[in-house]
Amino acid sequence: MSAPHPGAARRASGGTTLLVIAKEPLPGRVKTRLTPPFSPHEAARLAEASLADTLRTVAALPAARRAVVLEGAPGPWLPPGIEVVAQGAGGLDERLAAAFGACAGPTVLIGMDTPQITAAVLAPALSPTAWEDCDAWFGPAEDGGFWALGLAEPDPRLLRGVPMSVPETGAVQRRRLVDAGLRVRDLPPLRDVDTAADAAHVAGLAPHGRFAAVLARTTGAAAR
């Protein structure tokens, strides 16, 4: 795979597209590693809260286009100003590749599992100079995956075949970018919400968010 033209990464005049890859928060379909200790319905409520917090942050960010790339149907958690795009078929690598392939120009994709995300964390990848001397932004997750990926020139081939949901996912994906000749900048590492311990930790980082409130209500009810 050849590297992009040296000037391609600076063609950001149209602004950056910001995508959130997400699943409709249905019991038994999301956050299954939270069960136990939580029930499938409780896990789904936590997933919905995580998605809602993420989209609320995204809605306020300086992106040219904001969209949720969704498996399922939108619900009341969807704020105004967020476009809904259906996910493609196949494994997660194929679905991520399709999401980027449908975009033109600089695109940043994040997940729904980091409700602690703030505008400040994403600011470097969305600033007016984000793509100067930079072809890709990479946000590593503490579990070895990644929570954010930005490409100045979206190319689905950069994602297809990357093993997903394994400890080396992030390392393989970042190496794919480097091996393609891209200039990569890193965003801060964040912790995904996968387990109950993750949920407690993340809620502590964003105590005023909807996720923290739902977790507090859920654990409080269980303790009674």
Side-chain angles (χ1 to χ4, degrees):
M1 187 183 302
S2 61
H5 185 277
R10 293 188 287 275
R11 293 202 299 266
S13 59
T16 296
T17 294
L18 184 54
L19 306 176
V20 179
I21 187 91
K23 288 183 179 180
E24 181 184 0
L26 297 175
R29 298 289 303 278
V30 291
K31 293 290 147 221
T32 54
R33 290 176 61 189
L34 291 177
T35 306
F38 302 108
S39 72
H41 283 83
E42 290 170 337
R45 285 195 292 270
L46 288 166
E48 179 176 334
S50 179
L51 178 55
D53 281 347
T54 301
L55 292 177
R56 185 177 65 248
T57 298
V58 165
L61 288 169
R65 176 189 174 212
R66 305 167 189 84
V68 56
V69 184
L70 184 65
E71 178 186 310
W77 42 263
L78 182 69
I82 304 289
E83 179 184 350
V84 178
V85 178
Q87 279 190 32
L92 181 56
D93 64 315
E94 289 288 346
R95 287 179 277 142
L96 293 175
F100 276 104
C103 296
T107 301
V108 174
L109 181 145
I110 65 174
M112 62 177 282
D113 299 331
T114 50
Q116 75 274 34
I117 194 171
T118 64
V121 170
L122 270 173
L126 296 173
S127 75
T129 59
W131 304 103
E132 291 182 1
D133 301 315
C134 175
D135 304 304
W137 286 91
F138 185 78
E142 292 183 8
D143 64 359
F146 61 94
W147 66 269
L149 179 63
L151 297 173
E153 296 289 327
D155 185 344
R157 294 173 297 174
L158 292 169
L159 293 108
R160 291 195 182 109
V162 172
M164 295 289 163
S165 302
V166 294
E168 61 272 21
T169 292
V172 173
Q173 181 62 77
R174 197 182 189 287
R175 175 51 56 185
R176 180 76 69 87
L177 304 176
V178 172
D179 287 349
L182 305 187
R183 297 162 295 180
V184 183
R185 292 181 183 170
D186 292 305
L187 293 165
L190 293 182
R191 185 167 175 173
D192 284 343
V193 174
D194 288 320
T195 67
D198 295 333
H201 178 82
V202 167
L205 296 175
H208 304 297
R210 180 173 169 182
F211 180 81
V214 171
L215 181 65
R217 287 198 302 268
T218 303
T219 54
R224 289 197 293 271

